[in-house]
Amino acid sequence: MMKANVVSAHGGPEVLEWRGHETGEPGPGEVLLRHVAVGLNYIDVYFRTGLYAAPNGLPFVPGNEGAGIVEAVGDGVTSLKQGDRVAYAGPIGAYAEMRVISADRLVKVPDSIGLDEAAGMMLKGMTAEYLLRRTFEVKPGDTILFHAAAGGVGLIAGQWAKALGATVIGTVGSKEKAELAAANGYDHLINYRDEDFVERVKDTTGGKGVDVVYDSVGKDTFPGSLDCLRPRGTWASFGQSSGPIDPFNIAILSQKGSLFATRPTLFTYIASRAELEASAAALFDVVGSGTVKIRINQRYPLSDAARAHADLEARKTTGTTVFDV
């Protein structure tokens, strides 16, 4: 019997229980995947605490990102075969040595990209892709603000946005994180612990504001994020690491400059097979060309997921973190 991290009750990192877990056999349209590496993402914390509901309730295996080797294929699967190197972002269930997963959610990993690298970039990298290319299409000359610049999505987005021709402003929580973000495409860094990020953005842009704010922080950066925008600018709220945003009167968007606001999620943007393939192909292209570099800054054994979650929530991690399986 293989092992997995199982959540039987919502709570802190300690609810992640490393124990035996039945995998099952692949059914029609499914494959049995042996993980080589699994990615750590803040959305895993949301599911663990119950902020987001697991699709099938409790108990469940968390994790939305992984890569590995196809061990067996079910009836009707023609796109993959035993031994293929594959990766995915969603559905939930990655914190396991092996899993059964729908074949149409997997993409083949180019030989030029390591499986540990792929495991740490699928969810974060395709998130950066849809934010920068589809939620608000970043163009040469745009100025953007990205909160949590030294995080997993932030470091990818900084490099990618710079390659798209943008001026990239980021917020961080320490001098060390500012240095890391500066090495990954950011032109201007703001330490939110010491500085008022709204005032700094106004100073940096000469009072004009930015074209778009990408915000995964939530409660602590609202409504300040709106005050950083130019008239008719876009606020893309795609996470809430500091807690959910309190309900607000939508009229605030008109009062602050006829602003656009959206709450996107990756899984809507890769819902169809065509969208998944296009997003993954764009990501593999920028990584394969060296335009975006995926640096694995932390590694943990999959059996030590509780410690990894504690470190993530304490903001001790930067960039990409992977579990070795």
Side-chain angles (χ1 to χ4, degrees):
M1 180 185 293
M2 70 90 184
K3 287 189 172 182
N5 285 282
V6 180
V7 174
S8 299
H10 295 128
E14 70 280 356
V15 302
L16 289 160
E17 182 186 1
W18 180 247
R19 62 175 173 82
H21 186 72
E22 290 289 347
T23 305
E25 297 296 325
E30 296 178 330
V31 307
L32 176 63
L33 175 65
R34 173 174 58 83
H35 282 127
V36 171
V38 170
L40 172 67
N41 296 279
Y42 218 96
I43 192 173
D44 304 345
V45 174
Y46 299 155
F47 280 109
R48 189 204 75 221
T49 61
L51 181 64
Y52 290 179
N56 296 315
L58 294 166
F60 69 93
V61 176
N64 286 271
E65 177 180 57
I69 306 295
V70 174
E71 290 288 300
V73 300
D75 291 343
V77 176
T78 58
S79 58
L80 297 171
K81 65 182 184 304
Q82 185 179 17
D84 279 347
R85 304 166 73 250
V86 295
Y88 66 91
I92 195 170
Y95 283 22
E97 292 175 325
M98 301 180 73
R99 71 174 299 182
V100 170
I101 187 171
S102 177
D104 70 0
R105 290 291 89 192
L106 298 171
V107 294
K108 292 182 180 179
V109 178
D111 291 339
S112 60
I113 295 175
L115 287 177
D116 56 347
E117 188 179 23
M121 77 180 193
M122 295 304 295
L123 190 147
K124 292 176 279 291
M126 290 195 293
T127 295
E129 184 277 324
Y130 86 74
L131 288 172
L132 298 174
R133 289 161 41 100
R134 291 186 280 165
T135 298
F136 178 93
E137 186 178 358
V138 174
K139 306 173 295 301
D142 285 343
T143 300
I144 77 170
L145 172 64
F146 211 101
H147 289 302
V153 179
L155 292 183
I156 296 172
Q159 298 174 70
W160 206 332
K162 191 63 180 174
L164 291 171
T167 297
V168 191
I169 305 171
T171 63
V172 293
S174 70
K175 178 182 177 182
E176 293 74 21
K177 289 184 176 182
E179 292 171 351
L180 179 61
N184 285 272
Y186 286 85
D187 299 290
H188 308 279
L189 277 306
I190 302 166
N191 187 334
Y192 63 82
R193 297 186 189 279
D194 301 328
E195 305 171 279
D196 183 321
F197 73 85
V198 175
E199 292 303 316
R200 274 292 313 279
V201 167
K202 290 180 178 178
D203 291 343
T204 302
T205 61
K208 296 179 180 179
V210 299
D211 297 284
V212 58
V213 176
Y214 297 109
D215 188 353
S216 65
V217 176
K219 186 173 184 178
D220 288 354
T221 48
F222 184 85
S225 290
L226 303 183
D227 295 320
C228 295
L229 288 165
R230 63 161 171 79
R232 301 195 304 277
T234 297
W235 172 54
S237 170
F238 68 101
Q240 48 199 38
S241 61
S242 67
I245 294 168
D246 292 332
F248 63 91
N249 188 334
I250 197 171
I252 193 175
L253 300 177
S254 65
Q255 296 163 5
K256 292 183 179 293
S258 299
L259 304 178
F260 294 87
T262 182
R263 183 59 169 85
T265 177
L266 170 64
F267 303 112
T268 305
Y269 279 82
I270 59 169
S272 72
R273 180 67 193 179
E275 289 171 321
L276 171 60
E277 289 180 343
S279 186
L283 175 61
F284 290 151
D285 181 62
V286 294
V287 172
S289 67
T291 301
V292 172
K293 294 179 172 59
I294 307 298
R295 298 176 178 87
I296 299 172
N297 293 342
Q298 297 84 209
R299 290 179 180 270
Y300 300 82
L302 186 57
S303 59
D304 207 6
R307 180 166 64 94
H309 273 229
D311 289 347
L312 177 64
E313 291 182 272
R315 302 184 186 275
K316 294 180 179 179
T317 64
T318 59
T320 297
T321 300
V322 299
F323 294 111
D324 296 313
V325 182

